[in-house]
Amino acid sequence: MKNRLKVLRAERNWSQADLADKLDVSRQSVNAIETGKYDPSLPLAFKIAKVFALPIEQIFSDDQAAQAAE
Amino acid sequence: MSISNPVAPSVRKTWRRYLIGGASMVLFVIAAMMVHVIGEIAALIALPAALLAMWFCVAAFIGLDELAQRAHYVAWFWGGSLGLYTLPILGLIAVPFGFWDGGLAGLSERLWGEATIETGFFTGILVALAPPLIGYVVWWSVFWLRNR
């Protein structure tokens, strides 16, 4: 799964630690999600969407579906 | 001027729980090993210590975020399982090289200086638990090294 977490975070001038604080997770969790090593659970994905005030599909996208569309 | 603490309060709370749980576990092991010296008093110490250890370790685990919990699941399944699978291999190495001479009693005597029911019991636990535990710790460490 792809995500725009790093871009969205940079737009807001937040560090990984700032975002981790807002999500109540560790900085390592934010890093693992950003680098695509870990896909968050649905509750955490919704929490991320809420923090960025964006719909979930504007943050996360299915790379297999994107590849199929191309 | 205030200096912010780099460690979040929730993380400190989790580590505090782990520390109390770990200390209780150590107390349990010491008390259990003293059974043949102090008798029933050891059981009176060991049982509450074991319950305390379980309580605080479960509380600490629940307080972890989902990646940290995943690290434990992954380490438990892969590290623990692979560690367990090394047991027969270790056995195959131990027998021809004489490490298993005298069986569990022989190993107890070499480790603790005597072969009693208690030392045999603890040697058995050690032999069975050490490989999966080592596998668990290695897998958990590699998981965090990759996600640091």
Side-chain angles (χ1 to χ4, degrees):
Chain A
M1 191 151 66
K2 279 182 178 174
N3 70 74
R4 295 175 54 229
L5 219 60
K6 197 172 181 178
V7 175
L8 294 169
R9 185 173 59 75
E11 282 172 2
R12 286 156 181 81
N13 268 332
W14 292 345
S15 65
Q16 285 188 340
D18 292 335
L19 181 58
D21 216 33
K22 290 177 201 301
L23 296 169
D24 197 27
V25 297
S26 65
R27 189 199 56 77
Q28 285 85 355
S29 292
V30 171
N31 184 51
I33 297 167
E34 273 188 10
T35 52
K37 287 178 184 166
Y38 175 67
D39 289 333
S41 66
L42 210 47
L44 183 55
F46 273 107
K47 211 170 176 180
I48 292 168
K50 198 175 171 186
V51 164
F52 286 115
L54 287 169
I56 213 160
E57 61 270 24
Q58 281 190 24
I59 303 171
F60 297 97
S61 61
D62 181 7
D63 24 328
Q64 280 178 340
Q67 274 172 8
E70 284 167 11
Chain B
M1 193 178 77
S2 68
I3 299 166
S4 66
N5 194 317
V7 183
S10 60
V11 176
R12 284 204 301 272
K13 200 166 149 187
T14 299
W15 279 107
R16 226 175 8 244
R17 287 170 177 170
Y18 266 137
L19 209 65
I20 298 169
S24 307
M25 221 178 289
V26 170
L27 183 65
F28 163 74
V29 172
I30 292 170
M33 288 178 87
M34 299 286 280
V35 163
H36 65 292
V37 181
I38 52 175
E40 289 94 6
I41 299 167
L44 287 175
I45 299 168
L47 190 65
L51 290 173
L52 212 64
M54 267 193 280
W55 175 268
F56 276 99
C57 286
V58 168
F61 183 81
I62 289 166
L64 293 172
D65 72 9
E66 57 183 62
L67 186 72
Q69 285 188 354
R70 188 182 162 82
H72 282 300
Y73 290 137
V74 168
W76 172 74
F77 184 78
W78 290 107
S81 301
L82 283 175
L84 210 58
Y85 294 145
T86 61
L87 265 174
I89 299 164
L90 289 175
L92 284 174
I93 297 167
V95 173
F97 285 95
F99 293 115
W100 197 244
D101 285 354
L104 204 58
L107 190 61
S108 299
E109 207 165 327
R110 283 196 292 281
L111 282 175
W112 318 105
E114 57 178 345
T116 61
I117 291 170
E118 289 85 5
T119 58
F121 180 69
F122 279 105
T123 308
I125 291 175
L126 201 70
V127 167
L129 280 187
L133 263 179
I134 292 167
Y136 185 98
V137 171
V138 169
W139 209 277
W140 185 84
S141 307
V142 169
F143 184 96
W144 281 118
L145 280 173
R146 290 187 67 224
N147 287 296
R148 70 187 187 274

